[in-house]
Amino acid sequence: MAFTEYQLLQVLAQEMNMRKAAERLFVSQPALSQRLQNIEKEWGTKLFLRSQKGLTLTPAGELVVRLAEEMLGKQELVKEQIQALENEVHGTLKIACASIVGQNWLPKVLKRFVETYPHAKISLMTGWSSEILKAIYEDEVHIGIIRGTPDWKGPKHHLFQDTLYLVDREIQSIEEVMKTDRPFIQFKSDSNYYQEIQEWWHRQFQTTPKRTIVVDQIETCKQMTLNGIGYAILPAITLDDGMEENIYKIPLVDDHDALIHRDTWLLGYEYAFELRQVSAFVEVVKEFLDGNSQ
């Protein structure tokens, strides 16, 4: 039965009078009588007995009216839940994030997000920026956070940029790099980042490093540098303010003596940003960035 028929039965059971029920339902008595006959025909039994005093529920009618009240109650509950969905953030936020951002920046933002929207769920994958773009293209996630300069035609939000530093326990100036026999520790990354470092190195020294060590994770690279094994080029996002005093950080500059930065972007398809959980996350990100810039 349709919900309008459940409502009809509920009103009839409450009024036990065809005229009063017809008035409440804004229909004529003949029309109400015909609709009741159709419902009884559908159930294959009488639901109400009619007399000059009004209506009386049959045992079958009591069962069907009870069902009608249960269904209307469930309908009202669902309506309330739908209204709550409009006022609160539910659903799963699917994010793909560059590993370096997922390790050093994103946890603080997600903490604020789940505190603000406790009903929302989070699905997170991390990887290289090229992998993040692939996940967005293939619609595996709602939004992606990537490093570098994305070739993306859809909506994108610039999150922040961080300076690149040459980090070491001994080297205090760029001029000392070619004098040391200690290794240059590098970490595997997508081609864009690697190429950027290589171009800077060749502009600066016109030669290759004397010794190199290549590791698979930026955190491994950082820890080896902090432990004095060699020197590395690391973005500011990985360098804590509370790092040991005898760690030297030399900012990288280009041919015009401008600081070399690494950009971080949030991007996705336009329809994804219309989702309540995604728009809420974007707002949390903006508030977080505004708070940190003050």
Side-chain angles (χ1 to χ4, degrees), residues 28-262:
S28 66
Q29 284 192 56
L32 177 58
S33 178
Q34 182 61 51
R35 288 176 63 185
L36 177 57
Q37 288 178 27
N38 291 338
I39 294 171
E40 290 178 328
K41 184 178 180 181
E42 183 179 344
W43 284 99
T45 186
K46 285 283 185 180
L47 302 180
F48 290 89
L49 297 178
R50 301 160 182 77
S51 68
Q52 291 182 346
K53 294 181 179 181
L55 300 175
T56 303
L57 275 170
T58 65
E62 291 178 1
L63 292 174
V64 175
V65 168
R66 190 180 307 151
L67 171 65
E69 291 173 342
E70 289 176 0
M71 294 301 296
L72 291 170
K74 290 180 180 179
Q75 181 191 36
E76 187 61 29
L77 178 61
V78 171
K79 284 183 177 179
E80 291 174 358
Q81 291 173 339
I82 291 174
Q83 290 175 350
L85 286 174
E86 295 175 354
N87 298 322
E88 298 179 356
V89 175
H90 293 256
T92 301
L93 173 66
K94 299 178 182 179
I95 309 176
C97 182
S99 296
I100 187 173
V101 181
Q103 292 169 355
N104 298 280
W105 180 84
L106 186 61
K108 301 171 187 176
V109 179
L110 289 181
K111 180 177 183 291
R112 183 175 296 191
F113 178 74
V114 297
E115 288 175 348
T116 307
Y117 304 106
H119 300 294
K121 298 177 182 178
I122 296 170
S123 172
L124 174 64
M125 63 167 285
T126 59
W128 289 351
S129 292
S130 55
E131 296 171 331
I132 306 309
L133 281 172
K134 181 174 181 290
I136 303 172
Y137 280 129
E138 296 181 357
D139 220 18
E140 295 176 0
V141 295
H142 297 136
I143 51 176
I145 298 176
I146 73 165
R147 303 276 282 173
T149 305
D151 181 18
W152 182 256
K153 306 304 181 185
K156 57 184 179 181
H157 303 271
H158 185 260
L159 299 181
F160 57 86
Q161 60 178 202
D162 50 327
T163 305
L164 299 183
Y165 290 93
L166 188 144
V167 182
D168 191 38
R169 278 189 174 275
E170 297 181 10
I171 298 173
Q172 301 182 44
S173 67
I174 292 296
E175 290 72 25
E176 297 177 34
V177 171
M178 297 310 296
K179 300 176 183 178
T180 184
D181 289 326
R182 300 166 70 252
F184 177 28
I185 306 172
Q186 298 175 282
F187 59 92
K188 294 178 182 178
S189 65
D190 57 34
S191 57
N192 180 275
Y193 186 81
Y194 181 80
Q195 181 180 349
E196 193 171 352
I197 299 301
Q198 295 302 309
E199 289 176 353
W200 174 84
W201 183 278
H202 289 295
R203 284 197 311 268
Q204 190 71 42
F205 304 114
Q206 290 80 47
T207 185
T208 57
K210 294 180 182 178
R211 296 170 58 201
T212 60
I213 296 176
V214 180
V215 298
D216 62 346
Q217 295 289 336
I218 190 171
E219 185 62 25
T220 306
C221 176
K222 173 183 172 181
Q223 292 303 322
M224 291 178 70
T225 305
L226 295 181
N227 282 280
I229 297 173
Y231 59 93
I233 293 176
L234 297 170
I237 190 176
T238 65
L239 305 176
D240 303 327
D241 293 334
M243 288 178 67
E244 300 171 58
E245 294 181 359
N246 56 341
I247 291 294
Y248 300 103
K249 299 187 297 183
I250 307 167
L252 270 58
V253 296
D254 60 20
D255 293 337
H256 305 287
D257 289 330
L259 293 174
I260 297 178
H261 296 99
R262 188 74 168 158

Side-chain angles (χ1 to χ4, degrees), residues 12 16-23 29 32-33 36 55:
L12 281 172
M16 287 301 187
N17 183 283
M18 292 293 289
R19 180 182 60 78
K20 293 181 180 180
E23 290 175 355
Q29 284 192 56
L32 177 58
S33 178
L36 177 57
L55 300 175

